Amino acid sequence: MVTSLPPRSTIPVEETWDLSSLYNSSDNFNLALESLEQEAEDLNQKFQGQIVNASTIILVLTDYMAFLEKLVLLSTHANLSASTDQTDDKAQLQSSKFGAAAAKIGSTLSFITSELLTLPKETVEQAIEESAEFNVFLKKLLRKKPYQLHPEAEKSLAAYSSTFNAPYGLYNTTKMVDMNFEDFEVNGQQYPLSYVSFEGDWEAEPDTEIRRAAFDAFSKKLKDYQHTTAKTYDIQLQTEKTTADLRGYDSIFDYLLFNQEVNRSLYDRQIDLITKELAPHMQKYAKLLQKVHGLDRMTFADLKISLDPSYEPEITVEESKQYIDDALAIMGPDYIEMVDRSYSERWIDFAQNKGKSTGAFCSSPYGNHPYILISWTGRMNEVFVLAHELGHAGHFYNANREQNILNARPSLYFIEAPSTMNEMLVANHLLKNSGDLKFKRWVISSIVARTYYHNFVTHLLEAAYQRKVYERIDAGQSVNAGILNTIKRSVLEEFWGDAVDITDGAELTWMRQPHYYLGLYPYTYSAGLTISTQVSKRILNEGQPAVDEWLEVLKAGGTKSPVELAQMAGVDITTEQPLRDTISYIGELVDELVRLTNEIEAE
């Protein structure tokens, strides 16, 4: 039974993460922040106007790299402290204080990039030849040269960075602090509702009347905040458009895709092919859900239900560790040691509490271990979620050890490949150990409903919606709640056709995702899963050689482009074939679910 969320102060410590390896007190945090602000001034005094040749390039980047390692730890502590309780004034003020200081630091040190890019290209290329440590960073920097502004303009923009980031913070405040959900009632009984309980429990509630009532109550509260949230989002969009224009990009898409190191064709391909070719498979899946559950009609509120709720085992945190250890054992002892440490050393925040960020994420600060946020519901589905986040952790656990801080982070396009890979490994492990028809159906339905639905449907439809929004912004227009609702509804109706009734409230799902404040992020989930689906097949068929190649990909970090990283793993994403193969594989899974259901019902 879902209960009201408790305040953070009442949560048992073992359900929370331990941030003390970052900073063990607010006093130490404040002292470190003050020290770093002074260090930024010292770097400015030491190097501004002095970056004139290859040797001084190497000197300034050596000091800058050491500086960034300290900055990352402060940033991580500020963000993670705030993420577990948006109602904690102390944590929120600390986060705001860091944001202001980081903006000042960024402005103080903006001269580094400006001076590097005003040097003759030959000078930078000489530094690239002389320093293996910085050659990747400098090559990427040279790509930015056409879009670099005057040093004083860069300094001013850096000073405003906390203001430019404000919409994301405002979105979270609206969502996690101001938005309080009343209980909803079904047949005279009251049920508690919150963001976490809706997305973690009520969306998958087997009782149709309760599930749909929860959806209606949840949507009603979202609607109360639609205009504020739309205005917040429009500020984000207009800021991005202004930045793209100022820097001279041809479009807002070119600006947002630049750092991803992929062109528009790879972006459009993910959205266009999946929208067109995956839709029939998912419509068949929706109709299967409707048939099995005996629903009068299939509504948007019914799409997250389990195919067989009786085969949704409850699972404790302790039990999840054994599942994950067994499933990921193929990755080797070093990887499993990381997984085990994440439990024993409290890298994971499992708690459900009021004010906590929704969903799940992994933060992997350079020079420290990863941290994972999740709201544990006890559903078996959480094993896939946790494996996903441990995939991010394993990626940066390897990359951070092998690369310097400037080279560790790969393109956003590739970022979801290691995470979704772990979901595939869990699925493959469970399938290998499933003899019972119902258990096999439950495993396959988990792959479809969790791994592929989440990454290839939920996030992909976000991407299709987001593209339509950016097309408006690129044309010099703005958005409001009515426009966003209309766009979202049209995307949902196009994908689901007559298989799903897009009921009132479905159009408000644009309000639920923070991804829209992170650039062109949503489509990268399907891009990453396309890569990991192909690599997981290789691991199934080839075993250790494919695993070894994948581990080398993880260690490469950001030293290669997404195309090169995929090639290292044996996948050619310059063609449509990997994506078409993945869509075909999803279709085969859905067909298998239909076959198994018919076989089970015939018994």
Side-chain angles (χ1 to χ4, degrees), residues 24-286:
N24 57 14
S25 73
S26 56
D27 286 344
N28 284 346
F29 176 90
N30 290 330
L31 284 171
L33 186 56
E34 288 172 18
S35 174
L36 205 63
E37 287 184 88
Q38 183 56 54
E39 199 172 318
E41 293 290 346
D42 294 343
L43 272 173
N44 183 287
Q45 292 297 315
K46 180 178 179 181
F47 287 110
Q48 186 165 21
Q50 305 302 312
I51 308 174
V52 294
N53 53 34
S55 60
T56 49
I57 289 174
I58 294 167
L59 284 173
V60 70
L61 289 181
T62 301
D63 284 5
Y64 181 54
M65 195 165 63
F67 177 89
L68 284 178
E69 291 182 20
K70 298 173 189 175
L71 182 66
V72 162
L73 298 182
L74 282 161
S75 171
T76 304
H77 189 274
N79 291 331
L80 297 188
S81 298
S83 69
T84 51
D85 188 359
Q86 297 279 338
T87 67
D88 182 345
D89 288 343
K90 186 177 177 183
Q92 300 309 313
L93 288 172
Q94 178 180 269
S95 179
S96 296
K97 180 179 181 179
F98 173 80
K104 182 181 176 184
I105 288 168
S107 181
T108 303
L109 298 183
S110 66
F111 77 91
I112 296 175
T113 299
S114 293
E115 290 192 18
L116 286 171
L117 289 179
T118 54
L119 288 171
K121 187 179 178 183
E122 295 75 24
T123 305
V124 179
E125 288 174 341
Q126 185 183 345
I128 289 171
E129 287 182 19
E130 291 182 10
S131 172
E133 183 100 53
F134 303 121
N135 62 10
V136 173
F137 172 77
L138 289 171
K139 284 176 183 175
K140 289 182 179 181
L141 194 66
L142 283 177
R143 286 182 66 232
K144 294 183 178 180
K145 195 175 179 71
Y147 308 107
Q148 187 75 0
L149 302 176
H150 186 280
E152 286 303 314
E154 292 290 349
K155 184 176 181 180
S156 297
L157 285 175
Y160 274 105
S161 62
S162 63
T163 304
F164 295 152
N165 292 331
Y168 186 32
L170 180 56
Y171 166 80
N172 280 319
T173 300
T174 304
K175 178 178 174 179
M176 302 310 304
V177 181
D178 285 346
M179 206 177 285
N180 287 309
F181 295 85
E182 297 83 15
D183 292 354
F184 66 97
E185 184 178 318
V186 178
N187 296 326
Q189 184 169 346
Q190 297 286 318
Y191 297 91
L193 182 64
S194 67
Y195 235 111
V196 170
S197 69
F198 177 75
E199 295 190 336
D201 286 294
W202 294 128
E203 267 195 314
E205 167 60 42
D207 187 302
T208 300
E209 196 172 357
I210 295 174
R211 180 178 65 254
R212 291 179 179 175
F215 178 83
D216 290 342
F218 183 74
S219 299
K220 183 173 180 287
K221 180 56 66 175
L222 289 184
K223 194 170 185 178
D224 290 343
Y225 289 87
Q226 62 178 323
H227 298 296
T228 300
T229 308
K231 178 57 71 175
T232 302
Y233 184 35
D234 191 49
I235 294 169
Q236 171 78 20
L237 295 167
Q238 300 303 335
T239 301
E240 290 171 337
K241 172 61 175 169
T242 301
T243 305
D245 289 347
L246 275 176
R247 293 197 176 280
Y249 288 92
D250 291 337
S251 73
I252 197 168
F253 294 98
D254 293 321
Y255 163 58
L256 293 171
L257 288 170
F258 182 85
N259 285 336
Q260 293 187 20
E261 300 176 81
V262 293
N263 58 37
R264 180 79 183 267
S265 65
L266 267 70
Y267 166 73
D268 285 332
R269 178 207 295 160
Q270 290 296 125
I271 298 172
D272 293 337
L273 262 183
I274 296 174
T275 301
K276 180 182 176 185
E277 299 191 10
L278 180 63
H281 300 306
M282 295 311 298
Q283 289 170 18
K284 182 188 287 189
Y285 173 69

Side-chain angles (χ1 to χ4, degrees), residues 386-403:
L386 189 50
H388 177 105
E389 299 308 333
L390 283 165
H392 288 305
H395 188 185
F396 289 102
Y397 186 76
N398 279 280
N400 288 352
R401 288 189 302 181
E402 297 291 327
Q403 308 297 336

